[in-house]
Amino acid sequence: MKEAVYEKPAGTNPGFALEYNGEGQLVSLQHPKDKDGMNWVKGNEPWGKVKSGLELSLGVSREFTERDTLLETYTFRNETPFDIWSLGTSLGIYVPFPDFYADAHTCMTGCCNTHLWCGGNSSYICALRMGGGNKNLGMVLTQGSLQGYSVERDEEKLSNDRGVFLLHPENLHLHPGETYTIAWELFWFENKEAFLQKLNGYPGFVTVDAPAFLLLGEESVRFTAHVGGAEGAEKPLILQNEREIPFVWENGTAYVEDRPENTDGQGHTAKKTGEYRYDILWRGKRSHAVFLVQPKLQELAERRCRFIAKKQQCRDPQSHLDGAYLIYDNEEKQQYYSHLDDHNGGRERVGMGSLLALYLQHYPDPALEQSLDMYISYVKRELFDTRTGEVYNDVCRNNDWKRMYNFPWITVLFLELFRLKKDREYLKEAYACMKAYYRGGGSHFYAIGIPMYEMTGLLRENGMEQEADSLLSDFREHGDYIAGCGKNYPPHEVNYEQSIVAPAAACLCDLYRLTGEGAYREAARTQLAVLDLFQGFQPDYHMNEVAIRHWDGYWFGKRRCFGDTFPHYWSALSGLAYRETEEIAGSGIYSRKTEKTLRGVLSMFREDGSASCACVYPMCVNGRKAGFYDPWANDQDWGLYFMLKYAGIPE
């Protein structure tokens, strides 16, 4: 930048307590009546700083509005004798929300889950306090257009800091003397519903809602697009790949139903599966929504299972890995293994075996079952002690790291094998595995995917009443610990994350279903409310009802890239917690989200059966180009397993 001038707002506003540095940039933004004194500006960079190598001049003005908002206006000027073009991330504005994970108290009182939507002229940020509360900070774009965002993060903090966000205006072409303006308003709001109501009050702002942003098989794309201030006005134009889409227009809302096989403007039939972007144009403003059409779920699961059996199973009798399901590198077209924890022969990759065991219960296939049998032999030889219930971290029964997460995953595998094979030994081994988990201190650990309700029922159905009672006692001790902690979450592999809160909620929901005791119901309500704060509602299949996660691509991916993973398959854990919550929550608010949340991870799977462990969503992360699906198929199959089990196969 050539120069930047920042102006402070005239006067004061009772809703904003602001502090500035010597250049007039915001370094503190608080609500004066917030008992926790939360500062919504954090990081090494001040709010509103512009990062660019372009020869632009910048003027930033601020003012308080009659709507009790803070209006910020960024005016970029070309004061050179030459044209200036911007491309992609060459122009960025810092908005350093406090989205990081420290101790539980700091997270609950001083941090936020930041939901960003850079949707052209209809862009917003919905920042929700991690611990809940009615003083949340929103941002709505009122002038200009945003094309995306990037992240800068301190990698020494590993998984515990989401980083600082940079918002990227649309690509610009400024002639000498021309200007371009980005303006937004900051405001306080109570909850998600109040935030959406606020958006709808801005003229021309488009909000899009849909039953699903990821479609399966022959499902139509259906959505509503509400245009703020358009009640009684002319209707917008909606395009898909420059093809005009018909719709019903009522009171400022467009009701759209589109078949993916419709033809485009040149008479060519559109590909049935794939990504579909719908642009909404109204009075010179352009917004959009993004959908993905996948094959039918059974077809997607079948192709994935065949890919695993054919391309991801090690068939090498001279190796300890013989029979294992391993990482597959979609670029190199080969398997990969490393003793490095997240790349090894156990842990999360047990999800591949669980998926096959579940799939085969409903769609028998001798070749796939032969593959699964090889895998079972491998697990019992290398990863599991059938006598003690001990689960090992990698082949050779290696336990350099005794990892508590591993136990429930092996348990789930054996439960599915019991349902498939009808062999009680698998049920006994599942029981031994969970007992080993609790002997090892599992009641103080928020493990992922413990099948409390299902396992207790299976034990009782099969005459193992004593074992069911014993495990239920363990489950109660576990649930009582979680309920006692409440929002004081103990740190795990990450200080705080969605996959700590989701297991807490699921555990308490299961215990309420098992016991009917009101204390578990009330404790579950607390956890469900906190969990919902992670969930986004942006009109894009990558982010809609997909939980915030931002480190998995580094640990499990080939690219080793930190940054927002939209989607990542553990987002489906929110869907697990939402199941069967009608009585717990007192309404259908969570249960209605179950299938959308479970579907949200299915873009990680391809029609040919290949897969990706994470989508790193931002445009750039620490200067590295992002916006990609990682080339490794690694641990993502738990996401397909959950969808198939809880939303894909009719009871």
Side-chain angles (χ1 to χ4, degrees), residues 282-293:
W282 191 76
R283 292 186 177 177
K285 293 187 175 184
R286 192 180 192 106
S287 308
H288 66 268
V290 189
F291 296 79
L292 182 68
V293 178

Side-chain angles (χ1 to χ4, degrees), residues 120-186:
N121 298 115
S122 296
S123 298
Y124 66 74
I125 297 178
C126 175
L128 297 160
R129 302 172 73 107
M130 289 183 184
N134 61 7
K135 291 179 176 62
N136 302 290
L137 186 62
M139 189 191 92
V140 59
L141 191 72
T142 57
Q143 189 173 349
S145 176
L146 298 177
Q147 62 172 309
Y149 72 94
S150 293
V151 176
E152 292 182 357
R153 54 190 291 161
D154 181 353
E155 294 195 0
E156 290 186 1
K157 296 179 180 177
L158 299 175
S159 306
N160 291 312
D161 192 344
R162 191 176 173 191
V164 176
F165 308 109
L166 292 96
L167 303 180
H168 300 299
E170 63 184 332
N171 291 341
L172 307 182
H173 175 201
L174 296 182
H175 300 101
E178 286 188 337
T179 64
Y180 179 82
T181 297
I182 287 283
W184 57 58
E185 291 186 19
L186 297 167

Side-chain angles (χ1 to χ4, degrees), residues 353 487 604:
K487 297 182 184 180
M604 305 175 78

Side-chain angles (χ1 to χ4, degrees), residues 347-589:
R347 295 164 66 111
E348 283 85 347
R349 282 150 298 284
V350 172
M352 286 185 267
S354 299
L355 174 63
L356 263 74
L358 173 63
Y359 176 83
L360 287 167
Q361 293 168 37
H362 303 276
Y363 309 106
D365 183 287
L368 290 180
E369 188 152 2
Q370 184 272 336
S371 169
L372 180 61
D373 289 342
M374 279 190 65
Y375 182 68
I376 298 167
S377 296
Y378 161 78
V379 168
K380 291 190 176 184
R381 183 183 73 242
E382 304 289 340
L383 300 180
F384 180 66
D385 187 324
T386 58
R387 182 180 58 86
T388 65
E390 182 69 28
V391 178
Y392 301 95
N393 202 48
D394 195 11
V395 295
C396 305
R397 298 199 168 189
N398 178 271
N399 243 2
D400 290 345
W401 179 357
K402 182 172 180 177
R403 192 170 185 245
M404 299 302 291
Y405 286 115
N406 296 338
F407 288 78
W409 299 335
I410 292 289
T411 299
V412 168
L413 172 64
F414 286 144
L415 291 182
E416 296 300 353
L417 289 171
F418 168 69
R419 290 185 182 275
L420 173 65
K421 306 281 191 178
K422 306 299 189 291
D423 183 343
R424 284 172 59 92
E425 285 303 309
Y426 289 116
L427 189 56
K428 293 177 181 178
E429 287 162 349
Y431 172 75
C433 188
M434 284 311 302
K435 291 300 292 184
Y437 169 82
Y438 283 111
R439 283 198 306 274
S443 61
H444 287 196
F445 189 84
Y446 292 41
I448 292 169
I450 299 177
M452 290 186 178
Y453 184 82
E454 177 185 5
M455 190 167 184
T456 304
L458 278 176
L459 290 171
R460 295 200 190 286
E461 290 168 12
N462 289 275
M464 299 174 69
E465 292 287 346
Q466 184 175 348
E467 290 84 350
D469 289 341
S470 176
L471 263 189
L472 182 57
S473 177
D474 293 330
F475 293 157
R476 279 181 175 275
E477 181 181 350
H478 198 172
D480 291 343
Y481 174 76
I482 291 172
C485 288
K487 297 182 184 180
N488 187 29
Y489 300 98
H492 286 61
E493 290 180 1
V494 181
N495 286 341
Y496 174 70
E497 54 167 316
Q498 173 253 0
S499 53
I500 293 176
V501 183
C507 167
L508 295 167
C509 288
D510 271 5
L511 278 169
Y512 175 66
R513 294 173 68 199
L514 285 167
T515 68
E517 294 177 13
Y520 292 129
R521 180 184 60 212
E522 296 309 308
R525 284 178 174 166
T526 296
Q527 299 300 326
L528 287 165
V530 175
L531 178 62
D532 191 55
L533 301 173
F534 287 97
Q535 302 296 118
F537 48 88
Q538 298 92 320
D540 184 327
Y541 68 89
H542 293 95
M543 307 168 83
N544 192 269
E545 288 303 334
V546 171
I548 292 172
R549 301 183 65 83
H550 50 83
W551 58 92
D552 306 277
Y554 175 82
W555 299 107
F556 292 87
K558 180 180 182 180
R559 294 283 183 263
R560 303 285 285 177
C561 185
F562 280 112
D564 296 355
T565 49
F566 293 134
H568 180 267
Y569 71 92
W570 279 143
S571 176
L573 292 175
S574 298
L576 265 65
Y578 290 159
R579 297 171 45 251
E580 309 292 343
T581 55
E582 290 284 346
E583 294 182 19
I584 292 171
S587 70
I589 182 174

Side-chain angles (χ1 to χ4, degrees), residues 93-351:
I93 306 172
Y94 284 99
V95 284
F97 284 88
D99 198 333
F100 64 95
Y101 302 145
D103 60 275
H105 177 75
T106 300
C107 289
M108 294 299 101
T109 60
C111 301
C112 66
N113 295 314
T114 312
H115 301 282
L116 302 95
W117 175 236
C118 297
N121 298 115
S122 296
S123 298
Y124 66 74
I125 297 178
C126 175
L128 297 160
R129 302 172 73 107
M130 289 183 184
N134 61 7
K135 291 179 176 62
N136 302 290
L137 186 62
M139 189 191 92
V140 59
L141 191 72
T142 57
Q143 189 173 349
S145 176
L146 298 177
Q147 62 172 309
Y149 72 94
S150 293
V151 176
E152 292 182 357
R153 54 190 291 161
D154 181 353
E155 294 195 0
E156 290 186 1
K157 296 179 180 177
L158 299 175
S159 306
N160 291 312
D161 192 344
R162 191 176 173 191
V164 176
F165 308 109
L166 292 96
L167 303 180
H168 300 299
E170 63 184 332
N171 291 341
L172 307 182
H173 175 201
L174 296 182
H175 300 101
E178 286 188 337
T179 64
Y180 179 82
T181 297
I182 287 283
W184 57 58
E185 291 186 19
L186 297 167
F187 57 89
W188 303 106
F189 65 95
E190 184 174 350
N191 51 36
K192 290 181 181 180
E193 292 73 23
F195 179 82
L196 288 171
Q197 290 176 7
K198 190 79 172 181
L199 294 186
N200 289 332
Y202 284 87
F205 196 97
V206 177
T207 54
V208 177
D209 191 23
F213 285 85
L214 192 143
L215 292 307
L216 297 169
E218 302 299 321
E219 295 174 344
S220 297
V221 174
R222 293 188 293 119
F223 65 90
T224 60
H226 179 77
V227 183
E231 295 81 357
E234 74 277 11
K235 66 180 184 180
L237 178 66
I238 299 181
L239 302 175
Q240 190 276 311
N241 193 26
E242 302 307 318
R243 170 175 60 98
E244 187 171 347
I245 302 297
F247 56 87
V248 175
W249 178 247
E250 293 180 0
N251 298 321
T253 300
Y255 297 84
V256 179
E257 181 167 1
D258 187 41
R259 299 287 298 181
E261 64 268 23
N262 284 347
T263 58
D264 61 22
Q266 287 73 45
H268 302 113
T269 300
K271 184 180 179 182
K272 183 189 299 183
T273 57
E275 184 176 284
Y276 290 81
R277 170 173 163 146
Y278 293 81
D279 288 281
I280 302 105
L281 289 72
W282 191 76
R283 292 186 177 177
K285 293 187 175 184
R286 192 180 192 106
S287 308
H288 66 268
V290 189
F291 296 79
L292 182 68
V293 178
Q294 288 278 50
K296 292 179 180 178
L297 182 61
Q298 189 267 333
E299 295 177 11
L300 197 66
E302 178 186 3
R303 294 170 189 175
R304 179 64 190 139
C305 288
R306 294 194 186 285
F307 191 99
I308 291 169
K310 182 178 180 180
K311 297 190 176 183
Q312 293 193 234
Q313 186 163 44
C314 178
R315 296 174 183 266
D316 180 359
Q318 297 181 3
S319 171
H320 287 287
L321 292 166
D322 187 41
Y325 294 138
L326 302 177
I327 290 171
Y328 186 81
D329 188 318
N330 288 290
E331 292 177 327
E332 300 291 338
K333 307 298 182 186
Q334 71 170 48
Q335 296 169 13
Y336 176 77
Y337 162 87
S338 167
H339 182 55
L340 183 70
D341 293 305
D342 296 318
H343 305 165
N344 71 17
R347 295 164 66 111
E348 283 85 347
R349 282 150 298 284
V350 172

